């Protein structure tokens, strides 16, 4: 149904007298927004409710495709004042900046269904005037961005650095990419200056050729000696596609500072120790052991958001002794240091909670033990909630599972951090076997195709078709790769070994855990601590400068 109508005239409350005496008005806040409501994309912008006197409305109500779109126009039908999109909000990013600007053509064509040849040919960043605001967070216009491109900005990071666009909420980043393409700037997919291929292409090359070393890959498909971008990226791919220890042979030299010592470096050069606690389920004897180790080595202990216990303040030379105690007691690495599956958080489920629908604790344990140590482009966090009350915050995780009366709902693409995202529903009311198969496929699809250091949420957004495409691949096997994805996870499960146990069994690997290469028994005297409010913490430098960020690599003692 297509409808063009004139909105009724709205009288301003309070009468003309009081309005005339006002010297100024505070402008109304921009309430434009785009969100997903009960699985449906909705968006509104500008004068969405058509309150402007004598404005016109152009409405397209597509019952077949279950979409609704409305544009609010000035009385001469030339200026866009606002609008509403329901069911398909893909044009929001272009329409919102056009509010207050003259339309580039027929307003109906802007919201007509794509199959009618309307929006596809009219909309696009090229249709925006230079004054259109692309980044509302930092007030960056299209003109600012095109000027930056003309001055040499050739990619999104350069535009961010030059104009600050996309550095706050990040919602305008897709528009930055579109603008670069519209301006004729060819986007390079090269991982770095040493590899012209993207991370995804390098993953496929390694899978197809069976290359198992960085030097072998560089010799055949790269140039130069490598850098701090390609070395960890290739190391991650090699770890994702094989079962070798990450500190074996030349692969050890590819790791960053955390993976190099299988621990997270802290601000004073000390390290943290995080044993795995699957699903937050821990035995009393392991709690006691952690307390004993913390007392013996003088470590600060902190319960983490992932339902584990973190021990801070270990020197690099103390790490093997600490981990030997943990491994001998049956504990293992929690991979808090790696770009890998970290934790699977859970509530108590139907074991104890009167609202619990399913056994969330056991499922969380099973998932964490299945995917532990699985290397990926970025860290992966999971959560399992036993009911819709969501105590495990599963929808804030890369993979979230929520119990229903019939089974499990699977959510993907959530995260906290600088740009928090709510995970989106991928499939509902799954039995446990199907749930695990879908998670297998989702994780391997992500690992194979995501960019370096790309979390699952922006990865999904970067895919053509977004979540719908992911659903087709994972649930409908649209690429015919489901069996291959599941086989890859099966190999990972079969070949998994605790990385710290591997270190303790290998004298060569153990030899790297020293502060000084020429004095292996000497502790680092610069790693010092103090107490504040009863808590142990790194001691500040004596000269009063800000605490430095140290790279805790072995060095020559002077």
């Amino acid at each position: 149904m297509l409808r063009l109508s004139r909105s009724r005239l709205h009288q301003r409350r309070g009468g003309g007298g009081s309005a005339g005496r006002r010297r100024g008005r505070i402008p109304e806040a921009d309430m434009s927004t785009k969100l997903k409501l009960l699985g449906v994309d909705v968006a509104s912008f500008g004068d969405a409710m058509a309150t402007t006197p004598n404005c016109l409305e152009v409405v397209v109500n597509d019952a077949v495709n279950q979409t609704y779109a409305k544009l609010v126009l000035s009385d001469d039908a030339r200026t866009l004042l606002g609008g509403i999109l329901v069911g398909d909000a893909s044009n929001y990013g272009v329409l919102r900046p056009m509010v207050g600007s003259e339309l580039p053509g027929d307003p109906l064509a802007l919201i007509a269904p794509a199959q009618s040849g309307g929006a596809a040919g009219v909309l696009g960043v090229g249709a925006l005037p230079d004054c259109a605001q692309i980044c509302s967070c930092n007030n960056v216009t299209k003109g600012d961005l095109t000027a930056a491109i003309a001055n040499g900005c050739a990619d999104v990071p350069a535009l961010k650095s030059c104009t600050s666009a996309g550095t706050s909420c990040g919602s305008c980043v897709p528009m930055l990419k579109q603008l670069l393409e519209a301006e004729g700037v060819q986007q390079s997919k090269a991982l770095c200056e040493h590899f012209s291929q993207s991370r995804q292409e390098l993953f496929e090359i390694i899978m197809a050729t069976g290359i198992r070393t960085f030097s072998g890959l560089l010799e055949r498909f790269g140039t130069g000696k490598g850098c701090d971008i390609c070395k960890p990226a290739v190391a991650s791919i090699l770890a994702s596609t094989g079962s070798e220890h990450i500190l074996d042979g030349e692969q050890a030299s590819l790791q960053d500072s955390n993976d190099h010592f299988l621990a997270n470096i802290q601000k004073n050069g000390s390290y943290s120790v995080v044993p795995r606690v699957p699903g937050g389920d821990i035995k009393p004897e392991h709690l006691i052991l952690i307390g004993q180790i913390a007392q013996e080595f003088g470590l600060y202990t902190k319960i983490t958001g992932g339902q584990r216990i973190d021990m801070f303040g270990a020197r690099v030379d103390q790490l093997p002794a600490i981990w030997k105690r943990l491994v001998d007691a049956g504990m293992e690495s929690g991979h808090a240091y790696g770009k890998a599956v970290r934790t699977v958080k859970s509530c108590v489920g139907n074991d104890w909670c009167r609202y619990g629908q399913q056994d969330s604790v056991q499922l969380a344990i099973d998932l964490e033990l299945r995917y532990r140590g699985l290397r990926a482009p970025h860290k992966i966090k999971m959560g399992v909630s036993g009911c819709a009350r969501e105590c495990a915050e599963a929808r804030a995780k890369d993979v979230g599972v929520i119990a229903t009366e019939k089974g499990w709902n699977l959510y993907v693409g959530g995260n906290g951090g600088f740009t928090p995202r709510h995970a989106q529903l991928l499939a509902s009311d799954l039995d446990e076997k199907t749930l695990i198969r879908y998670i297998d496929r989702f994780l391997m699809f992500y690992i194979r195709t995501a960019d370096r250091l790309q979390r699952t949420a922006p990865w999904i957004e970067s895919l053509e078709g977004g979540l719908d495409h992911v659903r087709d691949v994972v649930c409908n096997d649209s690429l015919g790769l489901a069996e291959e994805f599941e086989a890859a996870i099966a190999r990972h499960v079969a070949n998994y070994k605790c990385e710290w146990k591997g270190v303790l069994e290998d004298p060569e690997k153990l030899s790297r855990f020293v502060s000084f290469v020429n004095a292996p028994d000497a502790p680092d005297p610069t790693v010092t601590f103090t107490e504040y409010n009863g808590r142990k913490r790194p001691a500040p430098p004596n000269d009063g400068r800000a605490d430095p960020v140290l790279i805790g690599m072995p060095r020559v003692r002077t």
Side-chain angles (χ1 to χ4, degrees):
M1 177 184 73
L2 307 181
R3 175 166 59 88
L4 178 64
S5 64
R6 181 176 297 276
S7 177
R8 66 181 183 274
L9 181 65
H10 290 260
Q11 295 291 338
R12 180 177 296 169
R13 293 181 180 178
S18 61
R21 289 193 296 269
R22 294 192 186 111
R23 293 186 177 181
R25 295 181 60 195
I26 298 175
E28 295 182 0
D30 182 6
M31 301 300 290
S32 301
T33 188
K34 175 185 176 183
L35 49 85
K36 186 177 289 288
L37 183 64
L38 298 178
V40 179
D41 287 322
V42 296
S44 67
F45 50 93
D47 183 14
M49 304 309 295
T51 61
T52 302
N54 299 320
C55 64
L56 304 174
E57 296 178 61
V58 178
V59 177
V60 175
N61 186 5
D62 186 350
V64 175
N65 294 304
Q66 296 184 322
T67 62
Y68 171 89
K70 178 180 78 172
L71 295 183
V72 181
L73 312 176
S74 59
D75 56 4
D76 60 0
R78 298 179 63 182
T79 303
L80 180 64
L81 302 179
I84 295 175
L85 304 171
V86 179
D88 180 6
S90 58
N91 290 329
Y92 170 79
V94 175
L95 289 171
R96 186 192 61 77
M98 293 177 66
V99 172
S101 301
E102 187 170 334
L103 294 171
D106 181 6
L108 181 60
L110 296 176
I111 55 174
Q115 57 266 35
S116 68
V122 177
L123 286 180
V125 71
L128 298 177
D130 284 344
C131 62
Q133 189 181 65
I134 301 296
C135 177
S136 58
C137 296
N138 297 302
N139 192 27
V140 182
T141 66
K142 176 187 173 183
D144 297 329
L145 292 165
T146 54
I149 293 172
N151 289 329
C153 291
D155 53 28
V156 171
L159 285 177
K160 286 183 175 182
S161 177
C162 182
T163 67
S164 296
T167 59
S168 295
C169 76
S171 63
C172 65
V173 170
M175 291 282 286
L176 302 185
K177 295 179 180 178
Q178 293 175 24
L179 187 58
L180 285 164
E181 293 175 358
E183 293 295 309
V185 179
Q186 187 173 2
Q187 297 295 290
S188 172
K189 295 183 179 180
L191 179 64
C192 67
E193 61 184 284
H194 303 103
F195 288 100
S196 61
Q197 303 86 355
S198 66
R199 181 194 174 276
Q200 179 181 354
E201 290 169 337
L202 289 176
F203 192 104
E204 299 302 326
I205 287 172
I206 289 173
M207 290 285 290
T209 62
I211 293 174
R212 299 307 305 161
T213 62
F214 177 80
S215 59
L217 185 68
L218 190 67
E219 181 180 358
R220 288 188 58 182
F221 298 97
T223 59
K225 296 182 179 180
C227 63
D228 59 353
I229 293 176
C230 60
K231 287 181 177 180
V234 171
S236 174
I237 296 174
L238 293 173
S240 299
T241 56
S243 58
E244 304 93 343
H245 197 285
I246 67 167
L247 299 182
D248 277 343
E250 72 168 50
Q251 197 163 337
S253 64
L254 307 179
Q255 310 301 331
D256 62 21
S257 56
N258 289 336
D259 282 310
H260 195 79
F261 289 123
L262 306 185
N264 283 334
I265 189 171
Q266 305 303 315
K267 63 191 297 183
N268 67 338
S270 64
Y271 289 84
S272 62
V273 175
V274 189
R276 185 172 302 284
V277 182
D281 180 70
I282 189 167
K283 299 177 181 178
E285 54 265 34
H286 287 164
L287 280 172
I288 293 170
L289 175 63
I290 289 173
Q292 290 173 339
I293 291 173
Q295 283 188 327
E296 182 177 334
F297 289 89
L299 307 178
Y300 168 67
T301 53
K302 180 75 170 62
I303 297 176
T304 73
Q307 298 179 332
R308 304 192 289 192
I309 299 176
D310 202 337
M311 293 177 276
F312 292 87
R315 298 192 313 268
V316 65
D317 55 286
Q318 294 175 321
L319 291 174
I322 293 171
W323 274 106
K324 187 177 189 311
R325 296 273 299 276
L326 294 168
V327 170
D328 287 348
M331 302 192 80
E332 63 181 26
S333 170
H335 290 92
Y337 48 82
K339 300 293 186 291
V341 172
R342 297 278 183 86
T343 62
V344 183
K345 186 176 181 179
S346 75
C347 65
V348 297
N350 62 4
D351 279 351
W352 296 91
C353 180
R354 64 186 186 275
Y355 299 108
Q357 299 286 337
Q358 307 286 349
D359 188 352
S360 57
V361 175
Q362 189 58 53
L363 180 61
I365 293 172
D366 293 343
L367 292 178
E368 186 159 346
L369 294 181
R370 181 174 183 81
Y371 303 116
R372 56 186 169 179
L374 180 65
R375 296 281 168 161
H378 210 298
K379 62 185 176 184
I380 297 174
K381 296 183 178 181
M382 302 186 188
V384 182
S385 288
C387 73
R389 290 172 177 260
E390 253 282 72
C391 293
E393 301 169 327
R395 291 197 64 191
K397 303 293 187 287
D398 297 279
V399 176
V401 181
I402 301 177
T404 69
E405 291 183 1
K406 299 179 181 179
W408 304 95
N409 284 354
L410 175 60
Y411 296 82
V412 295
N415 62 254
F418 186 78
T419 307
R421 310 285 178 86
H422 248 147
Q424 303 177 74
L425 180 64
L426 186 71
S428 57
D429 293 328
L430 303 174
D431 60 80
E432 190 169 314
K433 184 177 180 181
T434 303
L435 172 72
I436 292 175
R437 285 170 47 220
Y438 283 3
I439 297 176
D440 285 356
R441 298 175 187 180
F442 173 78
L443 291 177
M444 284 311 303
F445 185 35
Y446 162 65
I447 290 170
R448 286 182 62 162
T449 61
D451 288 336
R452 165 184 169 270
L453 301 181
Q454 187 177 40
R455 289 291 294 269
T456 56
W459 166 69
I460 292 172
E461 293 173 358
S462 71
L463 296 173
E464 185 175 352
L467 182 67
D468 290 335
H469 177 56
V470 173
R471 184 178 291 112
D472 281 342
V473 173
V474 171
C475 304
N476 303 325
D477 192 19
S478 60
L479 297 180
L481 295 173
E483 186 175 344
E484 187 174 332
F485 289 159
E486 293 172 25
I489 294 294
R491 287 193 299 272
H492 167 77
V493 173
N495 296 322
Y496 170 80
K497 296 178 182 177
C498 171
E499 290 174 349
W500 260 108
K501 185 176 181 180
V503 167
L504 296 172
E505 294 173 348
D506 188 336
E508 183 178 349
K509 293 184 178 69
L510 277 173
S511 65
R512 71 173 53 246
F513 291 88
V514 295
S515 296
F516 303 99
V517 293
N518 62 335
D521 296 326
D524 187 347
T526 67
V527 178
T528 57
F529 303 90
T530 186
E531 280 199 6
Y532 178 76
N533 288 341
R535 300 195 310 272
K536 180 177 180 176
R537 70 178 190 179
N542 293 329
D543 58 8
R545 294 177 300 172
D547 292 349
V549 176
L550 303 176
I551 304 299
M553 306 293 285
R555 56 192 187 276
V556 175
R557 187 182 189 186
T558 57

